[in-house]
Amino acid sequence: MRGSPAVSAAALAVTALLAGCSSTPFGAPVASAVAAPAAMSAPAHAGGYLAVERVEALAGSVPAPFADSSAEQAADRALSDRYRAYEGGDRWLLATAHAELSPRLAAQHFDCALNARFASAPTPRLTALFDKVLKDANGAAELAKTRVFRPRPVGVDPSRAACTTVSAAGRASASYPSGSATVGSAYGEAMAALDPAHAAAAREIGHQIAVSRVVCGMHYPADAAAGEVLGRAVFAQIAATPAFQADLEAARAELAAVRATGLTNPGCAAERAALALPLP
C-alpha cells in the first residue's frame, strides 16, 4: 500500500468512536541476548485476580526479542515502516481510539463486536472486572520489559508520528512486549467469556487493539505479537480463579441490561470500513 488513506466521512465517524475482518498474525520473536538497562526495576503488582508469583512466572515465560542487528530484527523494522502509510487515515484514527484502555471506557471498543452500546447503562461490575484484568495483564507485560530492552519505533525514529501524544520519556521507554497488546488481548478473552455467542468477534477486536499499536508506531509487529500471546496466557490463569467467575456472572447481568436499552454504537459502519483496509 502506498501513501496515506484519505480522511473520509468514515474517518470522522471512527474518531467519534470511544471504542471501537480477517487478521494476519504477526511474526513470532526469537531468542536474544539483549540486556535490560541496569536502572530498570520490576513494577509493583497488586489488585488483580492473580498472585504476584503467578504474574512473575507469566512474565518470565516471554521469549527475548529479536537479536539486535539480526535479519529478523531488520525485517520487523521494515514491516513497521510500511505501517506509516496509514498515518492520518481511517485505520490511524481507529488506532487513536484503541489507545484508550482504561477499564471505565475500554468496554466500548467491543460495542460493535457484541452488538451492544456499553455507555447506555451502568456497568460497575464489568468495569471492576476489567480493572483486575488490566492489573494482571499490564503487570506481566511491564515486568517482562524489565528483562530486556527493545526501543520503540517512535524512539528509534524521533520524527515518526504517533497517533497519541507521547512524551520524550514515553518515546524512550521499552517496547517489548507490548503492554497495550497484552491488555487488549486479555480484554478480548474476557469479552469472549462474557458473551460466548460473539466470542470470535470479541477476540478479533482484542487482536485489532494490538494491530493498532503497530499502526501508531508505538510497537513493532513482534512486540504486539508477543503481547497477544502473553495476554492470552494471563487470561487463561485469570479464568481459573473463582473470583473471576463470580465477577463474570455479575457482568453478564449488566450486559443484559445494556442490551435491554436497544441502543447500538452509531460508529460501527466506520469501524468495519477501517478494519477492512488491507494491512502491509
Side-chain angles (χ1 to χ4, degrees):
M1 181 175 180
R2 298 174 185 268
S4 298
V7 178
S8 62
L12 297 177
V14 170
T15 304
L17 279 171
L18 266 175
C21 216
S22 161
S23 62
T24 301
F26 299 124
V30 298
S32 168
V34 178
M40 298 178 73
S41 58
H45 172 270
Y49 288 106
L50 303 180
V52 173
E53 294 78 11
R54 288 196 177 187
V55 174
E56 290 174 345
L58 286 159
S61 71
V62 178
F66 295 130
D68 196 26
S69 301
S70 67
E72 293 87 355
Q73 171 109 305
D76 200 36
R77 287 185 173 179
L79 178 56
S80 174
D81 283 342
R82 293 201 289 275
Y83 277 81
R84 292 173 185 262
Y86 294 89
E87 290 179 11
D90 291 9
R91 190 61 185 81
W92 174 268
L93 294 175
L94 181 59
T96 301
H98 280 167
E100 176 58 77
L101 292 176
S102 65
R104 188 176 66 85
L105 298 175
Q108 295 178 60
H109 295 316
F110 298 87
D111 278 358
C112 305
L114 271 63
N115 193 32
R117 182 59 165 147
F118 281 99
S120 65
T123 56
R125 294 299 294 272
L126 179 60
T127 297
L129 183 155
F130 263 34
D131 182 63
K132 293 176 184 177
V133 170
L134 171 69
K135 287 182 169 67
D136 289 333
N138 192 60
E142 291 303 310
L143 184 58
K145 287 181 181 182
T146 67
R147 298 167 57 231
V148 293
F149 179 81
R150 189 189 195 197
R152 298 179 184 273
V154 295
V156 171
D157 181 0
S159 69
R160 185 163 181 177
C163 62
T164 56
T165 301
V166 186
S167 66
R171 285 180 179 267
S173 61
S175 188
Y176 181 90
S178 167
S180 294
T182 304
V183 172
S185 178
Y187 280 168
E189 292 295 324
M191 283 301 201
L194 178 69
D195 186 6
H198 294 87
R203 290 187 174 108
E204 177 63 17
I205 293 302
H207 168 67
Q208 291 297 337
I209 289 171
V211 173
S212 287
R213 303 308 285 166
V214 183
V215 173
C216 283
M218 292 301 293
H219 293 283
Y220 290 103
D223 305 335
E228 288 192 80
V229 172
L230 179 59
R232 290 191 293 270
V234 169
F235 182 78
Q237 295 206 19
I238 287 174
T241 65
F244 173 76
Q245 292 300 323
D247 287 345
L248 187 64
E249 287 306 311
R252 281 182 178 141
E254 291 179 343
L255 175 59
V258 164
R259 287 205 169 116
T261 67
L263 299 177
T264 56
N265 194 315
C268 289
E271 181 183 88
R272 288 192 296 271
L275 293 179
L277 292 170
L279 295 176

